[in-house]
């Protein structure tokens, strides 16, 4: 009987520790983007990741001040607009007279998860290869995608934290 009681207590303790240790979207975005988004208010959360891990997600955070902007400006990993061609293709797609590519970060209707942004900063993290082992352009020439993208709109103090896994 004593062993069963101890086993039940250990199971409950493990459950409680796991529940308390779970991360919210602010914690995840902060960790992955290398910035502190704890002051942001989550205003939308889109996620199609399935049980196998494939899908697109985009969490939008609104900020009431420029604290995050100052942190982004001081982080050399973040780049200022305009978006490079790779990020532009991934987020908004590109079209010519004869073809169209993307957007890859889109909803179920093919619409980009990120609205058009004129001024801001962005960070593209290629999770499919080791850091600094491939050029960003390589992403568009693969059969699958695994990347994280942070885009900060300086006109609206809005952060878009997006991921694509295929």
């Amino acid at each position: 009987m004593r062993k069963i009681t101890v086993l039940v207590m250990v199971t409950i303790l493990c459950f409680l520790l796991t529940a308390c240790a779970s991360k919210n979207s602010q914690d995840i975005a902060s960790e992955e983007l290398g910035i502190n988004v704890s002051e942001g208010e989550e205003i939308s959360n889109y996620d199609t990741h399935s049980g196998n891990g494939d899908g697109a997600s985009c969490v939008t955070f609104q900020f009431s001040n420029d604290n995050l902007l100052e942190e982004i400006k001081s982080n050399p990993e973040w780049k200022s607009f305009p978006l490079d061609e790779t990020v532009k293709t991934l987020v908004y797609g590109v079209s010519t007279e004869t073809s169209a590519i993307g957007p890859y970060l889109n909803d179920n209707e093919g619409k980009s998860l990120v609205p058009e942004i004129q001024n801001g900063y962005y960070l593209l993290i290629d999770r499919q290869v080791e850091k600094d082992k491939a050029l960003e352009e390589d992403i568009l020439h693969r059969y699958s995608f695994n990347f994280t993208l942070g885009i900060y709109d300086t006109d609206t103090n809005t952060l878009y934290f997006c991921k694509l896994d295929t």
Side-chain angles (χ1 to χ4, degrees):
M1 181 69 168
R2 187 172 187 199
K3 287 182 182 181
I4 293 174
T5 304
V6 170
L7 182 61
V8 169
M9 290 178 67
V10 168
T11 303
I12 291 172
L13 181 61
C14 288
F15 175 76
L16 290 173
L17 288 174
T18 302
C20 292
S22 63
K23 296 180 180 180
N24 63 28
S25 57
Q26 290 173 320
D27 295 336
I28 295 167
S30 294
E31 184 177 308
E32 291 192 31
L33 298 176
I35 54 176
N36 181 359
V37 303
S38 64
E39 292 183 18
E41 175 188 352
E42 183 177 316
I43 58 174
S44 70
N45 190 331
Y46 176 88
D47 193 355
T48 64
H49 282 85
S50 61
N52 66 2
D54 287 350
S57 64
C58 189
V59 182
T60 307
F61 299 99
Q62 183 73 54
F63 294 84
S64 60
N65 58 44
D66 288 338
N67 292 347
L68 184 64
L69 175 58
E70 295 308 315
E71 186 176 348
I72 287 172
K73 284 180 177 180
S74 68
N75 185 324
E77 299 287 320
W78 286 76
K79 299 176 184 175
S80 62
F81 272 46
L83 298 174
D84 65 30
E85 287 301 312
T86 299
V87 175
K88 184 189 272 184
T89 302
L90 293 171
V91 177
Y92 302 117
V94 293
S95 298
T96 65
E97 290 180 16
T98 58
S99 67
I101 301 173
Y104 292 97
L105 278 170
N106 62 60
D107 62 14
N108 292 332
E109 297 174 2
K111 182 180 172 191
S112 177
L113 294 174
V114 179
E116 288 286 335
I117 297 172
Q118 301 303 314
N119 303 298
Y121 292 83
Y122 66 98
L123 172 66
L124 176 62
I125 302 167
D126 184 356
R127 292 182 283 109
Q128 195 155 318
V129 297
E130 288 183 51
K131 185 175 177 166
D132 300 325
K133 295 288 183 181
L135 300 173
E136 289 177 359
E137 294 79 25
D138 292 342
I139 290 175
L140 298 175
H141 297 87
R142 297 184 189 148
Y143 295 107
S144 65
F145 299 98
N146 293 294
F147 65 86
T148 300
L149 179 67
I151 298 181
Y152 186 78
D153 184 338
T154 57
D155 294 330
T156 62
N157 289 342
T158 304
L159 174 69
Y160 299 88
F161 169 60
C162 305
K163 295 176 86 167
L164 181 64
D165 299 288
T166 62

